[in-house]
Amino acid sequence: MDDEAETYKLWKIRKTIMQLCHDRGYLVTQDELDETLEMFKEKYGSAPSQKRPARSDLIVLVAHNDDPTNQLFVFFPEDPKIGIKTIKQYCQRMQEENITRAIIVVQSGMTPSAKQALVEMAPKYMLEQFME
């Protein structure tokens, strides 16, 4: 996929995620909801093939309107298919920052062992998987 199409796709995914977070009651600014493709390119770059933006640049952390301690991470893994190693890295980061909820936006799915790891971590950690 060329950089222009990939940049558009990443912008659209991030825009959708921001709307999803907003709809779930998390604090998302109007600027983030209204971000245009041009604003996205200025902030993150328009050359995904050169890691501008890298998917890790798009990670989101939002707090809930009713309870600021109820926070949610949104991860954008670089690997097309997510394995257990990536899940463990995300869980470690969640542990370090005392966050129990996350969304993982995957490119082409997860390995069976990674899916099993998500099941085993519930109810302590709630990780949801979304396909981009």
Side-chain angles (χ1 to χ4, degrees), residues 29-70:
T29 67
Q30 196 60 45
D31 285 350
E32 289 171 314
L33 291 172
D34 297 340
E35 183 176 65
T36 65
L37 180 57
E38 289 310 310
M39 291 160 69
F40 178 86
K41 286 178 180 178
E42 278 178 35
K43 188 173 181 180
Y44 298 104
S46 57
S49 62
Q50 298 165 20
K51 301 281 186 238
R52 291 191 333 264
R55 288 174 182 269
S56 58
D57 296 339
L58 304 178
I59 291 175
V60 178
L61 175 60
V62 289
H64 202 277
N65 282 327
D66 302 332
D67 177 8
T69 62
N70 176 4

Side-chain angles (χ1 to χ4, degrees), residues 31 42 76 81 98 103 126 131:
D31 285 350
E42 278 178 35
F76 296 85
K81 193 163 183 121
N98 203 22
I103 292 173
M126 295 298 303
M131 289 288 281

Side-chain angles (χ1 to χ4, degrees), residues 24 26 70-73 75 91 94 99-104 117-129:
R24 289 184 177 192
Y26 288 91
N70 176 4
Q71 296 179 311
L72 170 78
F73 259 126
F75 294 112
C91 281
M94 290 168 69
I99 294 167
T100 58
R101 302 186 72 87
I103 292 173
I104 303 172
L118 294 185
V119 172
E120 289 168 5
M121 285 185 288
K124 186 173 182 190
Y125 294 104
M126 295 298 303
L127 283 94
E128 297 175 76
Q129 166 194 332

